[in-house]
Amino acid sequence: MRIKSLINACAMTLTMTLMAAPVHAQDLLARIKNAGELVVGTEMQFAPFDFHENGQQTGFNKDLFGAVAEKLGVKVRFIDLPWPSVLPGLDASKFDMGGGPILVTQARKERYAFTLPVADGTVALLKSAKNDALQKPEDIAGLTVGGSKGSAQLEQLKTFAATLPKPVEVREYVDNNQAYADIVSGRLAAVGNSITNIAYVAKQRPKMFQVVQPPFGKKVYFAYFMRKDEDSRSLLEAFNKALGEMRADGSLAKLQQKWFGMEMDVPTADFQPEV
């Protein structure tokens, strides 16, 4: 009798295990679809990707994630965090992926899985629309320019300036808006920043600012990111598939034009970053 009871108990345990197995075997994409929402951690003070306007979230991210979520058959929910909390929050599985976006680098690719790029992050110069003397990056030789203190873009600007025939004074700013104001006042000839960001500034105030073409320095791109594990693989593949469809039907280019003022040529497959 005890043996029969033991057999029945074992059979019941096995049945319950088999019934529970599909639930535990679900990967991140399956869980997202079951929940009906994709949760994205981001900082909403990074125009033109994410920012507030009249108290409401707006920007490239809202439009792009909305389009991708529709293709996945889910809704998107953003969690607004200070930037230093975004990567730790992703590591702790507080949300499904990060929506910065951030520049893809060799070091970051070792730790995180990146989507295909959505924008060019290469450094370019923003100048006054009235400054006809500054036509190409090399024209800053002998002039004073600015950049964001502690940023990778500032380092690229310094490296480029060191190659020019005349010394360039590079001023460091904590606030990019102050740097842009110094262009208007004539204290700076130009400001170096990612072309995506300064293109947005020029688009917003075309009578005041212009982008100096072409960009300079090492080529870098902005992309979204998620945990680098098997659990996130299906989400990465689905996200990239959606991006590919948006590229093919022209909707990605339309979003770039809407928010950056220009279409951007970005890699359509995995690539090795230059930085």
Side-chain angles (χ1 to χ4, degrees), residues 2-228:
R2 291 179 180 176
I3 294 177
K4 185 176 180 180
S5 298
L6 180 60
I7 292 174
N8 288 338
C10 290
M12 184 177 294
T13 300
L14 178 61
T15 300
M16 292 177 66
T17 301
L18 291 173
M19 290 176 64
V23 176
H24 293 299
Q26 286 185 337
D27 60 15
L28 180 57
L29 179 61
R31 297 197 300 274
I32 288 170
K33 290 189 173 184
N34 282 342
E37 68 174 10
L38 171 66
V39 185
V40 181
T42 189
E43 178 194 34
M44 294 189 190
Q45 297 186 46
F46 188 43
F49 291 104
D50 248 334
F51 60 104
H52 286 98
E53 188 172 77
N54 299 323
Q56 299 294 321
Q57 179 193 7
T58 189
F60 181 87
N61 282 2
K62 182 180 179 181
D63 288 352
L64 185 136
F65 274 98
V68 170
E70 184 176 353
K71 291 177 181 294
L72 297 180
V74 299
K75 295 181 179 180
V76 60
R77 176 165 62 91
F78 291 93
I79 298 178
D80 184 13
L81 297 167
W83 178 247
S85 301
V86 175
L87 294 179
L90 180 65
D91 292 336
S93 300
K94 298 279 182 71
F95 36 86
D96 302 318
M97 62 184 297
I102 58 177
L103 295 176
V104 184
T105 66
Q106 295 176 19
R108 286 171 175 168
K109 282 195 74 172
E110 291 179 1
R111 183 168 182 179
Y112 297 101
F114 282 90
T115 68
L116 294 175
V118 295
D120 192 340
T122 309
V123 180
L125 296 169
L126 184 71
K127 69 165 186 173
S128 168
K130 299 177 181 179
N131 187 351
D132 295 330
L134 184 48
Q135 295 294 322
K136 58 185 183 300
E138 290 78 8
D139 291 339
I140 64 171
L143 303 178
T144 301
V145 298
S148 180
K149 186 175 183 178
S151 69
Q153 291 84 358
L154 177 68
E155 292 309 309
Q156 292 253 24
L157 176 60
K158 288 180 177 179
T159 299
F160 173 73
T163 67
L164 300 177
K166 296 180 181 179
V168 177
E169 181 183 350
V170 180
R171 296 179 182 173
E172 302 183 11
Y173 289 78
V174 175
D175 182 0
N176 278 326
N177 289 325
Q178 181 58 55
Y180 302 151
D182 278 356
I183 293 176
V184 178
S185 69
R187 295 187 183 93
L188 294 178
V191 170
N193 202 349
S194 294
I195 189 169
T196 308
N197 300 90
I198 62 173
Y200 172 73
V201 174
K203 181 179 182 296
Q204 295 297 105
R205 290 170 279 182
K207 293 183 179 180
M208 191 173 295
F209 299 109
Q210 285 183 358
V211 177
V212 179
Q213 295 282 7
F216 58 88
K218 295 182 178 180
K219 200 74 173 174
V220 288
Y221 300 97
F222 282 111
Y224 304 112
F225 50 100
M226 56 192 73
R227 290 178 291 278
K228 192 174 184 178

